Amino acid sequence: MSNHLDAPKEPAAGLDDTPLERRRDGYVLTTDRARIPADEALALLHTTFWAKDMPREQLLRAMRASVCVGVLASDRLVAFARAVTDLATFAYLCDVVVDPAHSRRGLAQWMVRTILEHPQMQGFRRFALVTRNAKPLYEKLGFTDRPTSTYMELKPAAPRTS
């Protein structure tokens, strides 16, 4: 006889999201983490103010626990984004970055729209994001700025190095 104590103590590692693939104007958009080169994603993120010092292992852990979107041009990653989500109620959109050589082609909007339309990410209570310089992009997609936000955060102290 089984009871609730026999249930696994932790969820399985990684998300069980269904990979999507889209093609447009010579680009391939994929949500298949296995097709997104982590080192190229890290190189893109290192060009940003928010992830310029992100260690590789941290990105790998983040990718395993997120719905990731990569845009490839000739098998080279030229854009990346991810959504931290439980695939049931909530998603936090982050790390949206496009190689400047491929900017002004709608790649960021394409990635975000793909996340918003992902079949496993429907019916959520909330999609959230934080942006310093891309409000117009997100407003076009329906995101709003609520100055009376109830948003709060805790920033843990940086780990000590020996």
Side-chain angles (χ1 to χ4, degrees):
M1 183 162 116
S2 177
N3 64 38
H4 69 282
L5 297 175
D6 296 329
K9 303 270 189 266
E10 296 179 10
L15 290 175
D16 191 21
D17 55 307
T18 303
L20 305 175
E21 187 168 295
R22 309 276 187 265
R23 294 177 184 276
R24 181 179 93 186
D25 302 328
Y27 292 103
V28 176
L29 179 150
T30 184
T31 65
D32 183 352
R33 284 181 292 285
R35 292 202 54 209
I36 300 172
D39 290 330
E40 292 178 30
L42 188 62
L44 284 173
L45 287 166
H46 280 174
T47 69
T48 69
F49 65 86
W50 68 85
K52 63 182 176 76
D53 298 321
M54 179 183 276
R56 184 176 192 275
E57 182 52 41
Q58 186 178 41
L59 175 61
L60 293 174
R61 284 192 334 263
M63 288 178 70
R64 282 192 298 270
S66 304
V67 171
C68 297
V69 179
V71 177
L72 303 161
S74 302
D75 293 328
R76 188 175 146 277
L77 189 71
V78 298
F80 177 74
R82 63 188 188 90
V84 181
T85 181
D86 60 7
L87 291 177
T89 64
F90 176 82
Y92 171 70
L93 180 64
C94 58
D95 291 341
V96 179
V97 60
V98 177
D99 181 327
H102 294 267
S103 65
R104 303 263 182 234
R105 296 179 188 175
L107 300 182
Q109 187 171 350
W110 190 26
M111 290 188 300
V112 174
R113 192 175 303 282
T114 298
I115 288 171
L116 295 174
E117 295 173 354
H118 192 292
Q120 290 176 279
M121 297 177 77
Q122 302 306 301
F124 283 14
R125 290 189 305 247
R126 181 171 290 119
F127 272 89
L129 65 87
V130 175
T131 185
R132 193 188 290 178
N133 57 356
K135 281 177 71 171
L137 164 71
Y138 299 115
E139 287 171 344
K140 284 182 202 173
L141 295 166
F143 287 87
T144 60
D145 184 1
R146 300 243 164 98
T148 58
S149 171
T150 58
Y151 172 81
M152 298 175 71
E153 71 180 10
L154 170 67
K155 289 190 175 185
R160 285 193 239 168
T161 57
S162 310

Coordinates of all heavy atoms in Angstrom, one line a residue, residues 7-8 35 43 46 58 63 103 116 126 137 144 152:
A7 N 6.0 9.3 -2.2 CA 6.2 10.2 -3.3 C 7.6 10.7 -3.4 O 8.2 10.9 -2.3 CB 5.2 11.3 -3.3
P8 N 8.1 11.0 -4.6 CA 9.4 11.5 -4.7 C 9.5 12.8 -3.9 O 8.6 13.6 -3.8 CB 9.6 11.8 -6.2 CG 8.6 11.0 -6.9 CD 7.5 10.8 -5.9
R35 N 19.9 22.1 -29.0 CA 20.3 22.8 -30.2 C 20.9 24.2 -30.0 O 21.4 24.8 -30.9 CB 19.2 22.9 -31.2 CG 18.8 21.5 -31.7 CD 18.0 21.5 -33.0 NE 18.8 22.3 -34.0 CZ 18.2 22.9 -35.0 NH1 16.9 23.0 -35.2 NH2 19.0 23.5 -35.9
A43 N 28.4 33.9 -24.6 CA 29.1 35.0 -25.3 C 28.2 36.2 -25.6 O 28.5 37.3 -25.3 CB 29.8 34.5 -26.6
H46 N 27.4 37.9 -22.2 CA 28.6 38.6 -21.7 C 28.7 40.0 -22.4 O 29.4 40.9 -21.9 CB 29.9 37.9 -21.9 CG 30.1 36.8 -20.9 ND1 31.2 35.9 -21.0 CD2 29.4 36.5 -19.7 CE1 31.1 35.1 -19.9 NE2 30.1 35.5 -19.2
Q58 N 26.7 28.5 -14.2 CA 25.5 29.2 -13.8 C 24.5 29.3 -15.0 O 23.3 29.0 -14.8 CB 25.8 30.6 -13.3 CG 24.6 31.3 -12.7 CD 24.9 32.7 -12.2 OE1 25.7 33.4 -12.8 NE2 24.4 33.0 -11.0
M63 N 19.7 27.4 -17.9 CA 19.1 26.8 -19.1 C 18.3 25.5 -18.8 O 17.3 25.3 -19.4 CB 20.2 26.6 -20.2 CG 20.7 27.9 -20.8 SD 22.0 27.6 -22.0 CE 21.1 26.8 -23.4
S103 N 20.6 42.8 -35.4 CA 19.5 43.6 -34.8 C 18.7 44.3 -35.8 O 19.0 44.3 -37.0 CB 20.1 44.7 -33.8 OG 20.9 45.6 -34.6
L116 N 5.4 33.6 -25.5 CA 4.1 33.9 -25.1 C 3.0 33.0 -25.8 O 2.0 32.7 -25.2 CB 3.7 35.4 -25.5 CG 4.5 36.5 -24.8 CD1 4.2 37.8 -25.4 CD2 4.3 36.4 -23.3
R126 N 0.4 35.1 -14.8 CA 1.3 36.2 -15.0 C 2.5 35.9 -15.8 O 3.1 34.8 -15.6 CB 1.7 36.8 -13.7 CG 2.6 38.0 -13.7 CD 2.7 38.7 -12.3 NE 1.5 39.3 -11.9 CZ 0.7 38.9 -10.9 NH1 1.1 38.0 -10.1 NH2 -0.4 39.5 -10.6
L137 N 9.6 47.6 -26.9 CA 9.5 46.3 -27.5 C 8.4 45.5 -26.7 O 7.5 44.9 -27.3 CB 10.8 45.5 -27.4 CG 10.7 44.0 -27.6 CD1 10.4 43.6 -29.0 CD2 12.0 43.3 -27.1
T144 N 2.7 45.7 -19.7 CA 2.4 47.1 -19.2 C 3.3 47.4 -18.0 O 3.7 46.5 -17.3 CB 0.9 47.2 -18.7 OG1 0.6 46.3 -17.7 CG2 0.0 47.0 -19.9
M152 N 8.4 43.0 -5.1 CA 9.5 43.1 -4.1 C 10.6 42.2 -4.5 O 10.4 41.3 -5.2 CB 8.9 42.7 -2.7 CG 7.8 43.6 -2.2 SD 7.1 43.0 -0.7 CE 8.4 43.4 0.5

